[in-house]
Amino acid sequence: MRPLKARNTSARNSRLEFYRPELDAMRFFAFLLVFLHHTLSRPATNQVAEQITLRNTFATSAKFSVSLFFLLSGYLISTLLAMEKELTGKVHLWDFYKRRMARIWPLYYTFMVLVLLIGTAVHRILPSAGAVVASTFFSGNWFLIIAGANLVGGLGILWSVNVEEQFYLVWPLIAKQCERRSLIWVSTGVILAAYVILIVLGALGIVSDVALRFNPFVEMQFFAAGALLAIWLPRDGLKVPASIRILLGSTGILLWMAGTHFFGSTAPAPPPRWWMPAALYSCVLAGCLAIFLSFFGMPGRFIPKRILWLGKISYGLYVYHELVLTLMPRWPTAWEHRAIFAGARLCLELSIVILVAGLSYAWLEMPFLRWKERITFVRNRSV
């Protein structure tokens, strides 16, 4: 019998591959919605009330694209761990954690240092000491819930990375111990637990966006849903007509907007009912599933290479974009009233974000990703 180290080396040498290009396209789509959430939320004083209502509903609901990121992570991580188990007979926990460190930590901590340096000159983005400590240990989402958004400064955007890291800490342990049937039960239990928590929070009147959206026990439903998709869906994707994909994607966005309008922050004035947070997140989850299925299995030949590259750098796009938007100087008030200038500003901001994220990927992230490939059992995509 070969030593364990020799077997692991052999497994790496005969690595499986799992790369679905449409998932990179989905990553960029999800980032673009987050970007539109932050840019379209700016007031548009030249629009009539009905237009403002529609735009605000879309802009507010676009924040749930972060939940789409979570669902995608749940699907991808669960698939890769299952394939590693098929190849080697086990989940290698320490190798998994090292791969996540190589992917997340360099950009994450560099961004924290960048915010602190810029914050010495631009005080509105300077976080409190408590926010820095919490973010350092990937618990900034809990700091947001407890202390509020006013103290986190430019580190607020990292809340979702903190939730991701909390998922990465726990899920490999579950995947290591559970076979397929057990994983279905665990994932289903996580989703049900999230709705029990939402009902309890609703009954207690704790329905603020901060209390719900930054709560990992609520957001874990999306990771669990992604895990179920990894179990149930064929790995070579779904072959459906383009018209069905467009219908699914549109339905997903409309579900987010409907949930936001009827049960969320743009809901009518009467006090929220105990069931409204659960109803809101039912719409969000259904929307995420519809959007995921609209992309899943999309032929790679129909996806431009530039979109794939933008999906590859989506982590940097997400982390840097809010800082870029914050540091952009205000345009003359007269310009803000004209759609052509508002559109030009949006394109300029997006271009700057892409430039910064592209440079970060090439100069900061890529060396760590190359090292990450050496400890990978199932290759996801080339650096």
Side-chain angles (χ1 to χ4, degrees):
M1 183 176 179
R2 287 182 297 171
L4 180 59
K5 184 174 181 180
R7 295 204 306 274
N8 290 348
T9 302
S10 175
R12 287 197 185 99
N13 292 337
S14 58
R15 286 181 291 193
L16 297 174
E17 289 195 10
F18 180 77
Y19 175 59
R20 302 221 51 86
E22 72 272 20
L23 300 186
D24 274 335
M26 196 191 310
R27 283 189 181 96
F28 177 64
F29 176 75
F31 157 73
L32 199 57
L33 288 176
V34 175
F35 181 81
L36 291 175
H37 164 62
H38 287 128
T39 53
L40 295 184
S41 297
R42 294 183 294 219
T45 54
N46 64 316
Q47 291 184 312
V48 297
E50 291 79 10
Q51 291 174 316
I52 290 176
T53 299
L54 181 62
R55 191 186 82 159
N56 286 351
T57 300
F58 171 75
T60 303
S61 65
K63 68 189 177 185
F64 294 119
S65 54
V66 176
S67 299
L68 178 60
F69 270 123
F70 293 158
L71 186 141
L72 177 56
S73 290
Y75 169 80
L76 192 56
I77 292 300
S78 297
T79 299
L80 295 176
L81 289 175
M83 293 180 70
E84 178 181 325
K85 213 170 182 180
E86 292 166 11
L87 178 67
T88 68
K90 60 179 288 189
V91 171
H92 300 79
L93 291 176
W94 180 232
D95 283 338
F96 173 86
Y97 293 133
K98 287 190 291 185
R99 290 194 298 270
R100 291 297 88 200
M101 291 175 197
R103 183 67 192 103
I104 301 296
W105 289 17
L107 172 55
Y108 183 91
Y109 287 115
T110 299
F111 179 77
M112 285 188 64
V113 172
L114 187 64
V115 167
L116 292 174
L117 291 175
I118 297 176
T120 59
V122 184
H123 296 296
R124 68 180 181 275
I125 71 166
L126 189 64
S128 68
V132 173
V133 172
S135 297
T136 299
F137 295 101
F138 298 103
S139 54
N141 58 312
W142 285 112
F143 185 87
L144 272 164
I145 293 172
I146 295 169
N150 294 331
L151 299 177
V152 297
L155 298 182
I157 194 66
L158 298 179
W159 76 268
S160 62
V161 184
N162 296 164
V163 173
E164 289 254 8
E165 288 288 85
Q166 290 155 25
F167 165 73
Y168 295 148
L169 183 64
V170 174
W171 199 251
L173 297 169
I174 296 173
K176 182 181 176 69
Q177 299 299 326
C178 291
E179 298 303 324
R180 183 178 185 275
R181 185 174 179 180
S182 300
L183 200 57
I184 291 174
W185 282 108
V186 171
S187 300
T188 303
V190 169
I191 295 172
L192 292 176
Y195 284 91
V196 170
I197 291 169
L198 285 166
I199 290 171
V200 170
L201 291 175
L204 295 174
I206 305 173
V207 296
S208 69
D209 190 58
V210 170
L212 300 180
R213 199 158 68 96
F214 302 147
N215 190 325
F217 298 113
V218 172
E219 295 293 347
M220 282 297 156
Q221 65 177 295
F222 301 102
F223 296 104
L228 289 175
L229 292 176
I231 294 170
W232 288 334
L233 292 179
R235 289 176 187 166
D236 57 352
L238 297 176
K239 296 175 175 59
V240 297
S243 58
I244 300 298
R245 295 189 184 280
I246 293 171
L247 179 62
L248 282 168
S250 302
T251 300
I253 297 295
L254 290 174
L255 281 167
W256 289 355
M257 293 179 67
T260 299
H261 180 71
F262 293 108
F263 312 121
S265 54
T266 62
R273 306 291 181 86
W274 61 267
W275 48 265
M276 289 180 72
L280 168 62
Y281 273 87
S282 297
C283 293
V284 176
L285 179 58
C288 288
L289 290 170
I291 294 171
F292 181 92
L293 293 175
S294 74
F295 278 88
F296 190 64
M298 183 186 297
R301 64 182 180 275
F302 296 139
I303 306 173
K305 290 185 178 179
R306 289 193 178 119
I307 297 297
L308 296 180
W309 179 75
L310 289 168
K312 186 182 288 190
I313 66 168
S314 59
Y315 177 34
L317 292 173
Y318 175 80
V319 168
Y320 290 118
H321 84 276
E322 195 171 49
L323 181 62
V324 170
L325 295 178
T326 302
L327 297 178
M328 281 288 290
R330 298 289 299 176
W331 286 23
T333 304
W335 291 14
E336 298 284 354
H337 294 177
R338 303 189 62 177
I340 187 171
F341 291 119
R345 177 189 175 96
L346 188 148
C347 292
L348 176 61
E349 290 167 337
L350 182 59
S351 299
I352 294 172
V353 172
I354 291 172
L355 175 63
V356 173
L359 293 175
S360 172
Y361 185 83
W363 294 348
L364 172 64
E365 299 165 63
M366 196 175 288
F368 293 94
L369 294 177
R370 288 199 181 100
W371 175 80
K372 172 177 168 281
E373 283 192 336
R374 293 164 49 191
I375 55 172
T376 297
F377 291 95
V378 182
R379 188 188 299 275
N380 181 220
R381 65 167 176 234
S382 61
V383 176

